[in-house]
Amino acid sequence: MLDKFGVARALREIGSLLELEGENPFKVRAYETGARALEGLAEDLGRLVAEKRLTEVPGIGEALAGKITSLHTTGRSDTLDKLRARHPPGILELLQVPDLGPRKVAALNAALGVCGLADLEAACRDGRVAGVKGFGERTQARILAGIERVRAQAADRRVLLARALDEAEPLLAHLRGAPGTAAVELAGSARRGRETVGDLDLVAASRDPSALSARLGAYPGAELLARGETKTTARLGSGLQVDLRVAAPEDLATLLHHMTGSKAHHLRLRGLARELGYTLSEWGLHRLPPSGTDPDTPPDPTAKVVVESEEALYRALGLSYVPPELREDAGELEAAGDGSLPVDLVLAEDVRGMVHCHTTWSDGRASLEEMARAAQAMGMEYLTVTDHSPSAGYAGGLSLDRLRRQWEEVDRVQERVRIRLLKGTEADILEDGALDWPDTVLEQLEVVVASVHSRMRMDEEQMTRRLVRAMSAPVFKIWGHGMGRLLGEREAYPVRVEEVLDALAASRGAVEVNGDPRRLDLEPRHLRAAHARGIPVVLSVDAHDVAGLSCLRLAALTARRGWTRRGQVLNTLGATEFAAAVRPSPPTGPP
DNA sequence: GCCGTTTTCGGCCCGACTGTTTTCAGTCG
């Protein structure tokens, strides 16, 4: 019995092992496509299997449906069992070594019998790899270095988006100073706002590529790893890798688009281009020669279509513009084709109030007044003061007595600042799903964020019940950092999100997009599930100091990835409207 | 292995860079 992620893993393993055997690359890709289709499944896998409707899913045909059914119901597949029997167990980890693909792994295994990282390392150290046909001393040294990196990366592979953006900014400024350079832009997963980033992808428009790569090499701490005519790779002092691609100014738009990805989005887009009689690459959009033309005929220089911008590229393919944050092949191309893609995705600039702020009253490091003045200086119209509640003892949670005294300070500070301060709390969701303030207190507050901070190792059933109860509370509450994940440190807790969202939709409340660089929670797919239920959203900073207020941009990127529109975000409202929208006390109905 | 207004076969995205070659295969993104 495997869930959809387990089945997807098994399909990828089949694909990798087939690749190792030199199987048709398109067949190999079909397994990857199938795995992706499963992971993105909106419907329950069990139901699709039971109703024999798997082949209705694009990318899944008869053959994959059979294997998926077997893997889902029995946890096994004959194909996978046979493949595993033919290969030593450690062979797949060799594919993780940079510059080692299926062909080379197969060659090394055949010649030297290596079947694991330790084997391969030993073979490099005593020089046996260099003796294999197709390999040499340099390759052997690269493999050895690659093994080191695989091991290092196993601990800490990707960096947080916030860090990648912080590193990109001064580097971009540095490169823009290179002679003959018209533009340097950030691309890659950082531009798409992915929560973690493997490397920085930069693109540039320049008539003098070598000046630009020299400039990259001269960046303090940078080390050039590869340097070609149009592509340069470097490692920054921090260890972060940078890929810089250079094109002539007229090719910048297609290069930027290419390097922004995602790969899945590109695959679909290129297929679409081909259907319309074009071929798309980083070097532009070209009309295909008429079918039947000898493939060795040199390309027709007039076949190139002028593409001035990414917008123009999508337009040429009959699509509305797809912003970078949406380019994940998660339905955006279908929506861009039929005009249903949202055009008013929220921007950080749309936000008028800072939500979810801590102060020295609990575990914040800045005073209430410092936070208020900093938010005011950023142009904000209001700030919610949401310090921790009584059971958050570890975080200096407020007692009722201290909460009342905090209100007095809020009133005092309010007289000295223009920005409106809203009295709130970040209430703990207790083990049984109750909030840790009585309703009588909650109803006197102006904002309630409700979050889980303890007992996170419950099973899925318990956690779902707990959160369903919390989200069903009669007060209006904002579900704080919904899944409790800490990127690279702690997994999200197991919970049936959709049931929790159903409860929230039936009650009164909103979901938060938490901009803490380690959280970025709820994540995009769950945001889309919230939108589908009409649940409003707040972009929040969860700030514990003045610098934390700048997390707003990360919250906005994450919200955009979740297809969040401006009108769905409560803190794009003015202070009075926002306060009315989130007021915890239930509206007084007719008698 | 999947797919179909080119529809049950014959396609399937495309180019840069490296190393070991001596004309190209493999890998990567």
Side-chain angles (χ1 to χ4, degrees), chain A residues 168-201:
Chain A
E169 216 165 294
L171 177 59
L172 285 166
H174 172 83
L175 292 174
R176 283 172 184 145
T181 298
V184 188
E185 300 294 338
L186 177 67
S189 50
R191 182 171 181 234
R192 301 202 312 279
R194 280 284 305 269
E195 52 266 74
T196 60
V197 172
D199 58 12
L200 283 181
D201 291 301

Side-chain angles (χ1 to χ4, degrees), chain A residues 517-565:
Chain A
R518 297 175 309 155
R519 293 191 183 271
L520 303 184
D521 186 9
L522 292 176
E523 56 182 296
R525 57 193 169 129
H526 297 141
L527 286 173
R528 291 180 70 179
H531 300 330
R533 289 163 175 78
I535 299 171
V537 173
V538 299
L539 304 196
S540 83
V541 284
D542 202 351
H544 287 74
D545 52 30
V546 168
L549 296 174
S550 64
C551 293
L552 189 61
R553 64 171 180 165
L554 299 176
L557 276 172
T558 304
R560 290 169 63 83
R561 295 183 61 223
W563 294 41
T564 306
R565 306 167 70 168

Side-chain angles (χ1 to χ4, degrees), chain A residues 161-173 175-176 183-194 197 199-205 236 240-245 252-253 255-261 310 324 327 553 557:
Chain A
L161 174 63
R163 198 188 120 194
L165 293 175
D166 285 347
E167 293 223 33
E169 216 165 294
L171 177 59
L172 285 166
L175 292 174
R176 283 172 184 145
V184 188
E185 300 294 338
L186 177 67
S189 50
R191 182 171 181 234
R192 301 202 312 279
R194 280 284 305 269
V197 172
D199 58 12
L200 283 181
D201 291 301
L202 308 181
V203 300
L236 300 183
L240 191 62
Q241 192 166 309
V242 179
D243 283 335
L244 172 66
R245 295 281 300 261
L252 182 66
L255 179 62
L256 173 64
H257 184 268
H258 175 84
M259 293 300 290
T260 297
E310 290 187 318
R327 298 178 195 165
R553 64 171 180 165
L557 276 172

Side-chain angles (χ1 to χ4, degrees), chain A residues 493-526:
Chain A
Y493 33 68
V495 61
R496 294 191 295 276
V497 187
E498 308 219 331
E499 285 180 34
V500 180
L501 292 174
D502 285 340
L504 188 53
S507 175
R508 304 170 55 243
V511 295
E512 164 184 279
V513 185
N514 189 298
D516 182 313
R518 297 175 309 155
R519 293 191 183 271
L520 303 184
D521 186 9
L522 292 176
E523 56 182 296
R525 57 193 169 129
H526 297 141

Side-chain angles (χ1 to χ4, degrees), chain A residues 364 388 412:
Chain A
H388 288 283
R412 280 196 302 275

Side-chain angles (χ1 to χ4, degrees), chain A residues 19 44 138 155 190 210 219 240 380 443 469 506 537 545 560 589:
Chain A
E19 195 176 17
D44 180 58
R138 303 179 69 159
S210 65
Y219 190 65
L240 191 62
M380 289 292 141
E443 288 171 7
R469 176 170 175 210
V537 173
D545 52 30
R560 290 169 63 83

